Amino acid sequence: MKGLKDRVAIVTGAARGIGRAVAQRLFEEGMCVMLADIDPKGETTALAIGPEERVLFTECDVSEKLDVRNALAATIDAFGDVNVLVNNAGILGGSGFLDLSEADLDRVLGVNLKGTFLMSQAVAKHMVERVEAGGKPGVSPGAIVNMSSVNAVFALPDQVAYSVSKAAISQLTRASALALAEYGIRVNAVGPGSIQTDMLAGVANDPAAKRKLLSRTPMKRIGNPAEIAALVAFLASDEASYITGQTVYADGGRLPLNYVVKTD
Ligand code: NAP
């Protein structure tokens, strides 16, 4: 896709799942990729994706400001720049509203929302500095892609903190897009439906839960991480040069269905 080859991306939560597929796709598009994950297994993932001249891993808890700063510095040290940030790291956790503990609320918002904010702010400051210094000819000012969810729109009653964090990510996407528009830096989000990763294992491996899920998914199947990665690559690329502040849903038709037909 236009504008990705020879550029540099940071992908958070890239040791496995959707983040791994995004890192793989951006590598295939010709980018240098820094995998930033709290899980040291990200090192093995990086080695599996490509050679260390183009794919590296840095251990990073996105909810820790110092880790975020180190991940950015490591990327610039290794690859000289950052053109694309994919804020993919995210966790489920906690419970329904009446039982949700303060600790669980802090933990989920800390990774999903604060982590997205800290990474975005740090990388955006770097991108803005580069623009103010005159930029590089032929290189777009930068793009940020956040990982939201269909749960930004409809709430999961037993995952209050998660649903709230994803709705907040869509608003953070709009607010940061407005702040960065004057520099030509674009910010968008992807809102996946149900995607086959470890995060979904509890539902995908339970036949009754899976049947219920598919009854609410018009395309009648669970999505693949690569299908999300394709959308992330598009939004990160110059093909999406006039798109900013949007959350684009890839959900097999779940949101359009809007529960207007009977579900199991
Ligand atoms: P996953 O398989 O659980 O992978 C998430 C990765 O993020 C793991 O490697 C995890 O490490 C890492 N991570 C967790 N906390 C982190 C932190 N503080 N800093 C850095 N990395 C951290 O999840 P996934 O299904 O690929 O989901 C990726 C993103 O898509 C999430 O934001 C999720 O909310 C969103 N999403 C997923 C689905 C779905 O159906 N799968 C649907 C909608 C949205 P550990 O293994 O050590 O925790």
Side-chain angles (χ1 to χ4, degrees), residues 46-110:
L47 284 168
I49 292 176
E52 62 182 17
E53 299 77 49
R54 290 210 16 232
V55 187
L56 287 171
F57 166 72
T58 185
E59 202 169 319
C60 169
D61 178 347
V62 294
S63 67
E64 294 291 335
K65 200 170 182 176
L66 188 58
D67 280 19
V68 165
R69 201 184 304 161
N70 289 341
L72 176 59
T75 309
I76 294 171
D77 261 9
F79 300 131
D81 205 351
V82 185
N83 309 94
V84 167
L85 167 66
V86 182
N87 283 307
N88 165 79
I91 55 171
L92 290 166
S95 57
F97 176 67
L98 289 177
D99 298 321
L100 181 62
S101 71
E102 187 179 351
D104 281 339
L105 179 71
D106 284 348
R107 190 168 55 85
V108 174
L109 293 184

Side-chain angles (χ1 to χ4, degrees), residues 13 15-18 37-39 60-62 88-91 111 147-149 162 166 192-195 197-200:
R16 60 191 170 111
I18 293 172
D37 200 297
I38 201 168
D39 185 347
C60 169
D61 178 347
V62 294
N88 165 79
I91 55 171
V111 177
M147 201 53 73
S148 182
S149 166
Y162 182 79
K166 293 300 180 181
S194 299
I195 307 302
T197 69
D198 294 342
M199 186 181 268
L200 195 75

Side-chain angles (χ1 to χ4, degrees), residues 157-158 194 203 206-218 220 222 254 257 259 262-264:
D158 59 347
S194 299
V203 176
D206 171 345
K210 188 174 174 185
R211 200 168 44 249
K212 195 168 170 183
L213 177 87
L214 294 184
S215 78
R216 295 169 178 182
T217 308
K220 296 289 177 218
I222 289 171
R254 174 101 52 98
L257 172 67
Y259 301 84
K262 185 177 176 304
T263 55
D264 289 347

Side-chain angles (χ1 to χ4, degrees), residues 191-258:
S194 299
I195 307 302
Q196 191 66 58
T197 69
D198 294 342
M199 186 181 268
L200 195 75
V203 176
N205 298 335
D206 171 345
K210 188 174 174 185
R211 200 168 44 249
K212 195 168 170 183
L213 177 87
L214 294 184
S215 78
R216 295 169 178 182
T217 308
M219 289 186 81
K220 296 289 177 218
R221 66 176 178 84
I222 289 171
N224 296 312
E227 293 177 291
I228 302 304
L231 179 53
V232 171
F234 166 70
L235 290 172
S237 79
D238 291 353
E239 312 275 357
S241 52
Y242 202 49
I243 304 176
T244 198
Q246 300 296 323
T247 298
V248 183
Y249 294 95
D251 66 353
R254 174 101 52 98
L255 285 176
L257 172 67
N258 200 19

